[in-house]
Amino acid sequence: MWSLKISEGTSPWLRSLNNHVGRQVWEFDPNLGSPEELAEIEKLRQNFSQNRFLKKHSSDLIMRIQLSKENPIGEILPPVKVKENEDVTEEMVTKTLRRALSSYSTLQAHDGHWPGDYGGPMFLMPGLVIALSVTGALNAVLSDEHKKEMIRYLYNHQNKDGGWGLHIEGPSTMFGSVLTYVTLRLLGEEANDGQGAMEQGRKWILDHGGATAITSWGKMWLSVLGVFEWSGNNPLPPEIWLLPYILPIHPGRMWCHCRMVYLPMSYLYGKRFVGPITPIVLSLRKELFTVPYHEIDWDEARSLCAKEDLYYPHPLIQDILWASLHKAVEPMLMHWPGKKLREKALRTAMQHIHYEDENTRYICIGPVNKVLNMLCCWVEDPNSEAFKLHLPRIYDFLWIAEDGMKMQGYNGSQLWDTAFAAQAIISTNLFQEYDSTLRKAHMFIKNSQVLEDCPGNLDFWYRHISKGAWPFSTVDHGWPISDCTAEGLKAALLLSKIPSDIVGEPLEPERLYDAVNVLLSLQNGDGGFATYELTRSYSWLELINPAETFGDIVIDYPYVECTSAAIQALTSFKKLYPKHRQKEIEHCIKKATTFIETIQEKDGSWYGSWAVCYTYATWFGVKGLIAAGKNYSNSSSIRKACDFLLSKQVASGGWGESYLSCQNKVYTNLEGDRAHVVNTGWAMLALIDAGQAERDLTPLQHAARFLINSQMENGDFPQEEIMGVFNRNCMITYAAYRNIFPIWALGEYRCRVLQQSSA
C-alpha cells in the first residue's frame, strides 16, 4: 500500500536547508494496509477508470483516506441544504463553515501544510522515463509498483479517439500521444498491450502524420532516446550563452522557466547526445512513423508540426533564423576551429546547470529542467556526484491518486496553498475553534521563508535577490516569486494580529522588512509585477518562441495577479508598519494601481494567466484596486468589473468558467452552463469586496446557496474541472482550491455581509 511521507529525507544524497519541511513523497510498503483498506483503494481505482471520460480529474482520495485516519475528527455536523426560494441565514453559513473547516483540518500535514495533487500536464512524465531509460537508472529508481501506477495513469488519461492530450482534460495532440506511447513502451508495455489501447494510440499517431509532426520539445526527447535524428531538430546552439548580456536575446534576459529549460536542451543539442540504441528503440523507429525510418526527410521534419499541436505557429522570421543556423552556422561549430567555441559554450552551460542544481538542492525550478539537468550531469560524467544527488529528488515530483501515479508541475504548491488557506480560515472568524490548524499553518509559513540570497555574483548567474521571499513550494526549492512572497507576507501579517497563545509567535519585523524589500525590488517600470524576476527584455522576443505548444514563454511578463497581490501585501504592511519605507511603498502602490487599471479589458474583466481565467484575474483586479483605496463609487474599473462578473452568473447561482477561456482568450462557460465551486468562490470574494451587498444582496445569496448545497456529506467540497493554467495553453491542478475558496467566500459572506447587515 502507498503511504505519503511528510518532511522526511533519510537518503545521504538529500540536502535541505530546514530539515525537509514541506517535502511530500509517496512510498510503497507491501506490508501496509488491511485487506479492507486495500479493497477500498482498489474500488476507488476501478470507479475512476469506469468513469474516466465523464470525470477526467482525480479527487486525491488515497491521500484523503490516509490523512483522515491520521487526523480523526469524530462526528461531522449533518449537512445543510438550502431550498430554492429560501434565504441563506448566518446559522446555515456558520454550520457549513464548521463542517468545512473540520474536514479540511484533517487534510493538513503535521508540518502545517496541505499536501495535494499538482499534476495535470501529460508531457512531464515522458521526459523522466526517457532520461532514466537512457541513463540505465529506470529500474533502480522506479520500482515495479511505481511503473504499475504510472501505466495506470497513462491509460486512464487516454482520450476516446486513442490519443493523449497536452493535459488531462485536453484534446489529443501529437506531443501528448507520441510521448505517452513511448513512455508506456519504456515502462514495459508491448505494442499490443492495454486491451487495444496501444494499437489505438499508435493508430492516432499514424493517422495524424506520424512522429515527424511532433512539436520541437518532443523532437528533442525522441532524439535523446534515439528515435529521431538531431538533424530533424531546429538548432538550439549553446553559444547563445556566450553572447554579451546587453543583447535583448541573451538567455539571461528570458523568463527563468524558459532559460532553465533551453539551457540543458542546448547542452544536449550541442553534444548531439543519443542514448543506447536498444531493441525497444529500434522497434519504436518502426512503430511511430508513416515511412521507413531511413527514408525520412529530416530537414523537412524540422519544420513539421501537427495542426492539433499548433498553438503558436512559427512566424517566417523564425523559419529563416533556424534554416540559417542549421545550414550555415552549425556545420562550422561542429568542426575545428569552430568546435573550440562549441566546447567553451558547453562548459558554460554545464556551469549554469550545476549552479541551478546546487541552489535548489537538486529539485530545480520545474520538472522539465529537473530531468534535463539530471541527464546533462550524467552525460558529462555517468559516475558524478551531481547525478547521484539528482536521483532521490525525483520522488519529490511524483504523486499518487486513484487515477495512478503522475509527475507534478513543481515539487508541490505547499506555501502557496497554505498562505491562501490561512487567509481563508481567518476570514471565517471561527479560527479560535481551529487554533491547532492555524498554529501549524503559521509554523509552516514561518519555516518556508527564504532566509538568504543565492551565493556568488547574482548578476553573473542572472538571479534576482531572494532573501525574505516566499517560494511557491518549499525553501529547498527556493526560487523567489512575487505573488508567493505577497501572499506569504499577507498571511504572516494577518496571523501577527491574532494572540500568540492561539497561533504562535509572530514573524520578526526584520523578516517582514526583507519580504517588503523583495517586493519593492520586483516592480517594473510600467508599475506591474512579473513572476520571479523583473521583465528583462521586450515582448517582440516572442517572435523567436520555438515552442509551438505554449504562448508567451520567452520573457517574464507583468501580470494582474502578481501586481494585485503585491498591492494587497504592501497595503497590509503599511497599516502595521507605517514608517518603514513609507514613500517608496506609497509610490509603488500608486504605480501598480495605474498598471492594473490600464490593462483591464473593455468588458471589465482581466485576463488570468495562472488560473481559469477571467473570473480568477478579475478577483485579483478588484482586490488590488480596493486595497489601493478605490471603491465602487470612485472607480469605473471596479464598476465595470462588477458588471462583468454579474453578467456571467449562471442559473444555479454560481460561476463556471472553462479552461477554453485561457487558450482562446474569450470567456467560455463550462459545458451545460454548470457552476464550479472555485470560480464561484473567486466571484463572490470580488463582489463582496466591491460592496455588492449594499446594492443588491440577491446575487450573493444565490452564490452562497450554491456553495452550501455543493458541500459533500463529509464536509469536503467536490473536485470539479481543472482550474490552473500556465503559458496560456496548458492546464494544471490546484487540488486545495476546491476547499480554500468556498471556505474563504463563505467566511467573508458570514462576517462582512450577514453579520454586518444584522448589526
Side-chain angles (χ1 to χ4, degrees):
M1 182 171 162
W2 288 94
S3 174
L4 179 62
K5 305 293 184 182
I6 300 293
S7 295
E8 292 186 14
T10 55
S11 167
W13 295 102
L14 281 170
R15 296 174 176 176
S16 179
L17 296 174
N18 65 352
N19 204 24
H20 302 289
V21 169
R23 188 170 190 245
Q24 44 188 39
V25 173
W26 288 92
E27 291 182 3
F28 185 80
D29 184 346
N31 302 313
L32 199 64
S34 66
E36 293 78 16
E37 288 171 325
L38 295 173
E40 181 185 9
I41 289 171
E42 194 54 41
K43 187 177 178 183
L44 295 175
R45 288 170 173 154
Q46 289 174 7
N47 186 54
F48 182 88
S49 293
Q50 289 163 7
N51 296 288
R52 65 188 184 277
F53 297 127
L54 297 172
K55 188 178 179 187
K56 297 187 176 185
H57 208 300
S58 59
S59 298
D60 253 351
L61 297 177
I62 295 177
M63 179 198 78
R64 277 166 160 73
I65 288 172
Q66 176 181 328
L67 292 180
S68 63
K69 284 173 182 166
E70 291 177 2
N71 307 316
I73 53 164
E75 196 174 345
I76 293 262
L77 292 167
V80 179
K81 292 297 173 188
V82 187
K83 294 174 185 172
E84 184 70 27
N85 297 313
E86 191 176 8
D87 283 342
V88 176
T89 65
E90 185 184 340
E91 183 185 356
M92 291 173 175
V93 175
T94 303
K95 191 174 178 183
T96 302
L97 285 168
R98 285 198 170 106
R99 297 180 75 246
L101 290 169
S102 296
S103 171
Y104 196 45
S105 294
T106 69
L107 303 180
Q108 188 181 29
H110 62 77
D111 67 0
H113 87 278
W114 276 266
D117 180 356
Y118 192 60
M122 292 297 294
F123 62 90
L124 303 176
M125 191 192 299
L128 171 65
V129 173
I130 290 170
L132 290 176
S133 180
V134 300
T135 59
L138 186 70
N139 294 328
V141 173
L142 301 180
S143 67
D144 288 344
E145 291 296 330
H146 281 92
K147 293 178 196 169
K148 179 181 170 184
E149 292 305 320
M150 287 176 163
I151 290 167
R152 184 197 308 279
Y153 177 76
L154 297 176
Y155 280 143
N156 269 334
H157 292 289
Q158 186 175 23
N159 290 327
K160 280 184 179 179
D161 63 8
W164 286 268
L166 181 65
H167 55 87
I168 58 173
E169 293 189 13
S172 298
T173 62
M174 190 65 74
F175 188 33
S177 300
V178 171
L179 288 188
T180 304
Y181 181 89
V182 167
T183 304
L184 285 164
R185 293 287 279 116
L186 294 175
L187 289 172
E189 292 295 277
E190 297 295 336
N192 57 356
D193 275 350
Q195 298 177 315
M198 292 297 282
E199 288 103 319
Q200 276 186 290
R202 190 164 64 253
K203 184 178 186 304
W204 191 96
I205 292 165
L206 297 176
D207 286 351
H208 291 79
T212 49
I214 197 172
T215 60
S216 56
W217 284 24
K219 288 175 167 64
M220 183 277 308
W221 276 122
L222 295 181
S223 300
V224 163
L225 183 61
V227 184
F228 208 89
E229 295 300 310
W230 279 110
S231 57
N233 288 252
N234 280 324
L236 289 170
E239 287 75 17
I240 192 172
W241 287 87
L242 302 179
L243 294 174
Y245 184 77
I246 195 170
L247 294 177
I249 61 168
H250 189 282
R253 294 183 174 275
M254 296 176 183
W255 183 41
C256 52
H257 275 282
C258 179
R259 73 171 180 266
M260 285 299 166
V261 165
Y262 283 105
L263 169 66
M265 280 186 182
S266 72
Y267 179 82
L268 295 169
Y269 175 81
K271 297 280 281 191
R272 301 296 198 275
F273 170 76
V274 180
I277 305 302
T278 64
I280 286 183
V281 169
L282 293 173
S283 185
L284 284 168
R285 288 181 175 183
K286 295 175 183 175
E287 294 166 34
L288 293 174
F289 301 98
T290 56
V291 298
Y293 190 79
H294 66 276
E295 293 180 13
I296 294 171
D297 183 340
W298 295 109
D299 190 49
E300 180 189 44
R302 281 192 307 105
S303 54
L304 290 180
C305 182
K307 67 180 190 304
E308 291 79 8
D309 295 65
L310 207 55
Y311 183 70
Y312 181 79
H314 287 174
L316 178 61
I317 190 173
Q318 227 183 98
D319 293 333
I320 295 169
L321 173 64
W322 303 142
S324 303
L325 288 170
H326 180 69
K327 296 180 186 298
V329 179
E330 274 299 312
M332 290 192 292
L333 292 168
M334 295 298 287
H335 301 92
W336 191 90
K339 198 170 184 180
K340 289 286 184 184
L341 187 65
R342 172 59 45 97
E343 288 168 359
K344 181 181 179 182
L346 291 171
R347 288 194 300 272
T348 300
M350 280 310 302
Q351 195 180 8
H352 284 277
I353 286 168
H354 288 312
Y355 186 84
E356 157 73 348
D357 291 346
E358 289 160 11
N359 286 288
T360 59
R361 277 48 63 186
Y362 291 82
I363 296 168
C364 300
I365 196 171
V368 178
N369 86 312
K370 157 69 185 172
V371 293
L372 284 166
N373 282 15
M374 179 180 75
L375 178 57
C376 290
C377 291
W378 185 86
V379 173
E380 183 187 43
D381 178 4
N383 298 311
S384 67
E385 182 179 271
F387 180 66
K388 292 168 187 170
L389 286 162
H390 262 293
L391 293 176
R393 283 299 189 185
I394 288 170
Y395 305 113
D396 295 48
F397 287 92
L398 302 179
W399 188 262
I400 277 276
E402 65 272 20
D403 59 341
M405 176 168 275
K406 59 207 75 177
M407 191 168 190
Q408 302 187 104
Y410 228 72
N411 63 322
S413 52
Q414 294 91 317
L415 182 279
W416 182 249
D417 291 340
T418 305
F420 271 156
Q423 294 175 73
I425 294 167
I426 292 168
S427 79
T428 67
N429 207 21
L430 298 170
F431 53 80
Q432 285 181 301
E433 299 174 34
Y434 301 93
D435 56 342
S436 171
T437 301
L438 211 48
R439 178 183 284 265
K440 285 192 290 183
H442 192 192
M443 175 183 68
F444 181 79
I445 291 166
K446 289 188 288 186
N447 286 336
S448 298
Q449 189 180 20
V450 179
L451 301 180
E452 296 294 339
D453 289 329
C454 288
N457 181 347
L458 296 183
D459 290 338
F460 179 82
W461 300 108
Y462 316 114
R463 291 293 289 262
H464 198 82
I465 62 168
S466 48
K467 182 182 179 182
W470 272 276
F472 183 70
S473 56
T474 62
V475 160
D476 285 337
H477 181 285
W479 274 85
I481 310 179
S482 62
D483 54 355
C484 299
T485 301
E487 297 300 340
L489 179 57
K490 282 167 61 186
L493 291 167
L494 279 172
L495 287 157
S496 74
K497 297 178 183 179
I498 301 172
S500 58
D501 60 329
I502 296 175
V503 297
E505 292 299 319
L507 209 57
E508 298 89 348
E510 283 301 323
R511 286 174 62 180
L512 301 175
Y513 299 162
D514 288 341
V516 168
N517 184 55
V518 170
L519 286 177
L520 291 174
S521 75
L522 283 167
Q523 187 171 39
N524 287 300
D526 63 3
F529 285 74
T531 55
Y532 294 79
E533 298 159 342
L534 290 163
T535 303
R536 296 175 175 177
S537 199
Y538 307 96
S539 57
W540 58 257
L541 215 60
E542 213 63 46
L543 286 169
I544 60 165
N545 170 8
E548 306 88 342
T549 315
F550 307 113
D552 294 351
I553 69 164
V554 181
I555 66 168
D556 200 348
Y557 294 89
Y559 299 100
V560 64
E561 300 100 317
C562 300
T563 307
S564 168
I567 291 173
Q568 294 173 58
L570 291 172
T571 304
S572 299
F573 175 82
K574 188 162 69 93
K575 288 174 183 173
L576 293 178
Y577 298 89
K579 294 183 179 178
H580 183 77
R581 300 179 72 171
Q582 180 184 1
K583 288 185 178 178
E584 290 173 80
I585 289 172
E586 287 174 355
H587 180 66
C588 174
I589 292 169
K590 186 177 179 181
K591 282 179 66 181
T593 304
T594 303
F595 173 81
I596 288 178
E597 290 172 330
T598 303
I599 64 166
Q600 188 177 24
E601 305 279 347
K602 288 180 181 177
D603 64 2
S605 68
W606 283 269
Y607 176 81
S609 298
W610 304 106
V612 180
C613 168
Y614 293 97
T615 322
Y616 180 68
T618 302
W619 169 53
F620 270 103
V622 169
K623 288 281 287 184
L625 294 179
I626 296 285
K630 306 285 184 178
N631 58 49
Y632 188 87
S633 300
N634 67 18
S635 170
S636 61
S637 290
I638 292 176
R639 290 195 294 274
K640 286 194 297 181
C642 290
D643 290 343
F644 169 79
L645 288 172
L646 292 172
S647 74
K648 302 304 180 188
Q649 192 170 21
V650 297
S652 63
W655 282 258
E657 189 177 0
S658 166
Y659 78 82
L660 295 171
S661 294
C662 303
Q663 63 184 48
N664 300 332
K665 297 190 177 180
V666 176
Y667 187 98
T668 308
N669 279 347
L670 286 171
E671 193 175 340
D673 290 345
R674 284 175 290 104
H676 193 295
V677 293
V678 177
N679 291 136
T680 302
W682 292 331
M684 271 188 81
L685 286 165
L687 289 169
I688 290 169
D689 235 23
Q692 179 63 35
E694 299 161 17
R695 298 183 295 277
D696 180 8
L697 185 59
T698 306
L700 296 174
Q701 277 272 334
H702 290 173
R705 182 177 65 208
F706 168 75
L707 289 181
I708 291 168
N709 288 342
S710 297
Q711 192 175 36
M712 297 160 67
E713 287 287 324
N714 64 356
D716 210 350
F717 283 91
Q719 176 63 59
E720 297 169 323
E721 287 82 357
I722 202 161
M723 275 289 117
V725 67
F726 60 92
N727 300 134
R728 306 284 184 255
N729 195 38
C730 192
M731 310 312 297
I732 196 160
T733 295
Y734 283 87
Y737 283 10
R738 65 193 263 199
N739 286 295
I740 289 170
F741 290 105
I743 289 170
W744 200 341
L746 290 173
E748 296 266 336
Y749 188 66
R750 173 181 183 262
C751 298
R752 296 181 59 187
V753 177
L754 296 178
Q755 288 184 346
Q756 283 192 15
S757 62
S758 62

